[in-house]
Amino acid sequence: MTSDARSAELFERAQLVIPGGVNSPVRAFRAVGGTPRFIAAAKGAHLTDADGNDLVDLVCSWGPMILGHAHPEVIAAVTDAAARGTSYGAPTRAEVELAEAIVERTPVEQVRLVSSGTEATMTVLRLARAATGRDLVVKFAGCYHGHVDALLASAGSGVATLGDAEALASPSSPGVPATTTAQTIVLPYNDRTAVTAAFAEHGDQIACLVTEAAPGNMGVIVPGTEDGEHFNAFLARTCREHGALFVSDEVMTGFRVTRSGQHGLDGVVPDLVTFGKVMGGGFPAAAFGGRAELMQLLSPVGSVYQAGTLSGNPVASAAGSTTLRLLDDEVYRTLDASADVLRTAVAESFAAAGLPHVVQSAGSMFSVFFTPDDVTEVPDYATAQRQDTAAHAAFFHAMLDAGVYLPPSAYEAWFLSTAHDDEALSRIVETLPAAARAAAAVASAERH
Ligand SMILES: *Cc1c(COP(=O)(O)O)cnc(C)c1O
């Protein structure tokens, strides 16, 4: 049992001045109970919390820290950039280099840099609506695209974790006007019949369909293949047939599952793509991009307005460029191999503990579903919601007590980095059997 006295003290203070004591909801441990760990420092695959506990990190800042924490070359680039000033409100070489790196690795011709994934998806909707002269947007239940009003209809991630998700197409949060989500059509993921029917009915009013390139915010869901056609290829084709734009949200998958992202696995070329997380190297940086003809609709060339005081920030751009430069083929081989080790170990310990589960992956991104015995595959949000969250909470705390920091939610991917070496992986693998037994005890107590 590790001590959390100092974290508890900070959490008390935090709750007085910050709602719930956190600046992003899932950090608050609401879904698993207990005191969130306040982090004092991090290096490689390890976090050090305020009480001095060493934790092997499987959150990696929810994706960005793909090279591990405080990577020496990233820190050097950031330090060097910061010493030359932290923001100018005028263009810099650093942002040109980051934009070039993104364009070189992905199917987009031009990008605009912003500060968060939310900003990227928000602007992409505006751009798609302007380009098509249409208002409707299609999304999938359980896909999270940031806290954009129009996309907070049946959203995943923190919304799923906190159990606030409501009926399809009604707002997932108070404060989102029903008139806004009334422009959003929400469909079950992997359901081609539903997509075809929605486009048959509303096709001439749909501006775009936006999807996570491979969903990771309701746990990891595999985009299915039917008659040799990948789900994303089907979506792109359906959009094209109806004059709508296909928007791929690669904020989580981009530069993580391959050197480009999910595009590297399915080869589908979307009209517009959003990026974030990895490309910021741990700083607030994100982007959206697409064909030049669409991107030229943006101010100052076109009339679609978009702006940002800190967009393309020189320190964030230096962190992002350096991270992308270091992400070579060897990195992806390492991540794939580490993910394999963990997936296998999870499946073995859960099976040995008699704990029903499903492990799913999209490239090196994977997650574990605490689903009942009759579930062998999780294709959509409705199935993901059949998870035993009490068993997950028991598992989470057993792992944490043994020094492994997992996402405090049953609806999130586990994130690895190149800093997860044999020592870090062994520590995780060794803690799995006892944690699986702790979860199985809760699951079986619920059944009886
Ligand atoms: C994290 C995430 C976002 C939101 O990005 P923020 O930087 O947190 O605003 C959007 N889409 C996907 C797929 C994400 O995983």
Side-chain angles (χ1 to χ4, degrees):
M1 189 73 189
T2 53
S3 159
D4 61 7
R6 292 211 178 93
S7 281
E9 201 181 297
L10 285 168
F11 193 40
E12 287 283 305
R13 276 171 63 189
Q15 283 171 287
L16 295 177
V17 288
I18 301 170
V22 292
N23 287 307
S24 199
V26 175
R27 297 179 196 168
F29 277 27
R30 287 287 174 104
V32 292
T35 306
R37 297 301 173 90
F38 282 64
I39 306 305
K43 179 75 191 155
H46 297 259
L47 301 171
T48 306
D49 71 15
D51 292 276
N53 298 304
D54 169 52
L55 306 168
V56 178
D57 184 17
L58 284 172
V59 175
C60 286
S61 186
W62 304 91
M65 309 319 299
I66 194 166
L67 296 168
H69 295 282
H71 188 285
E73 287 184 59
V74 177
I75 298 302
V78 163
T79 311
D80 184 56
R84 284 181 277 113
T86 51
S87 183
Y88 318 119
T92 61
R93 172 193 291 269
E95 60 203 290
V96 180
E97 289 175 354
L98 179 55
E100 284 173 348
I102 295 170
V103 167
E104 186 271 314
R105 296 172 82 106
T106 68
V108 306
E109 292 173 359
Q110 295 200 325
V111 283
R112 177 152 284 172
L113 303 179
V114 293
S115 300
S116 73
T118 296
E119 245 187 297
T121 54
M122 177 186 82
T123 311
V124 145
L125 295 191
R126 185 178 307 144
L127 192 51
R129 284 168 163 161
T132 57
R134 301 170 175 183
D135 286 339
L136 296 185
V137 168
V138 180
K139 81 173 285 277
F140 292 107
C143 278
Y144 178 67
H145 304 288
H147 57 100
V148 179
D149 273 7
L151 298 175
L152 269 184
S154 196
S157 193
V159 182
T161 306
L162 302 176
D164 293 345
E166 310 216 329
L168 297 189
S170 66
S172 291
S173 164
V176 175
T179 46
T180 301
T181 48
Q183 313 277 358
T184 306
I185 298 170
V186 185
L187 303 175
Y189 193 75
N190 270 327
D191 188 338
R192 297 183 193 216
T193 310
V195 173
T196 303
F199 274 86
E201 196 177 339
H202 305 287
D204 60 351
Q205 299 166 62
I206 296 173
C208 65
L209 177 147
V210 51
T211 183
E212 284 189 57
N217 283 296
M218 47 178 149
V220 174
I221 307 280
V222 183
T225 296
E226 270 177 36
D227 299 327
E229 188 180 46
H230 191 278
F231 190 54
N232 288 341
F234 161 77
L235 297 175
R237 176 168 64 81
T238 305
C239 286
R240 200 165 49 240
E241 284 166 6
H242 292 272
L245 300 181
F246 176 55
V247 179
S248 181
D249 182 348
E250 292 247 33
V251 170
M252 185 182 287
T253 47
F255 319 110
R256 172 164 283 278
V257 299
T258 69
R259 75 187 294 280
S260 62
Q262 171 64 29
H263 167 77
L265 297 175
D266 61 40
V268 175
V269 178
D271 295 297
L272 293 165
V273 188
T274 52
F275 305 102
K277 300 200 165 99
V278 167
M279 62 152 280
F283 279 77
F288 61 95
R291 285 197 305 282
E293 145 228 347
L294 287 171
M295 295 301 286
Q296 295 283 320
L297 296 174
L298 287 170
S299 295
V301 192
S303 53
V304 180
Y305 196 68
Q306 185 278 336
T309 302
L310 294 177
S311 292
N313 175 270
V315 184
S317 295
S321 291
T322 308
T323 299
L324 292 185
R325 183 169 50 74
L326 293 170
L327 294 176
D328 56 17
D329 293 345
E330 181 60 28
V331 161
Y332 296 101
R333 276 195 292 273
T334 306
L335 290 173
D336 287 350
S338 304
D340 256 346
V341 168
L342 281 196
R343 271 192 297 251
T344 309
V346 167
E348 282 173 6
S349 344
F350 281 38
L355 184 64
H357 69 282
V358 173
V359 180
Q360 292 189 168
S361 25
S364 63
M365 221 170 73
F366 75 98
S367 73
V368 186
F369 293 92
F370 289 70
T371 37
D373 251 335
D374 61 314
V375 174
T376 52
E377 188 194 351
V378 181
D380 56 23
Y381 190 36
T383 315
Q385 283 179 304
R386 294 188 56 205
Q387 288 196 85
D388 183 340
T389 49
H392 170 267
F395 176 74
F396 170 85
H397 278 292
M399 294 294 283
L400 184 61
D401 286 343
V404 178
Y405 188 72
L406 285 168
S409 161
Y411 292 94
E412 304 287 351
W414 298 18
F415 292 102
L416 284 162
S417 77
T418 51
H420 286 78
D421 54 10
D422 289 345
E423 182 268 322
L425 292 177
S426 311
R427 231 170 91 183
I428 301 164
V429 170
E430 282 159 19
T431 59
L432 283 169
R437 286 193 295 275
V442 169
S444 97
E446 284 170 347
R447 279 199 296 273
H448 297 120

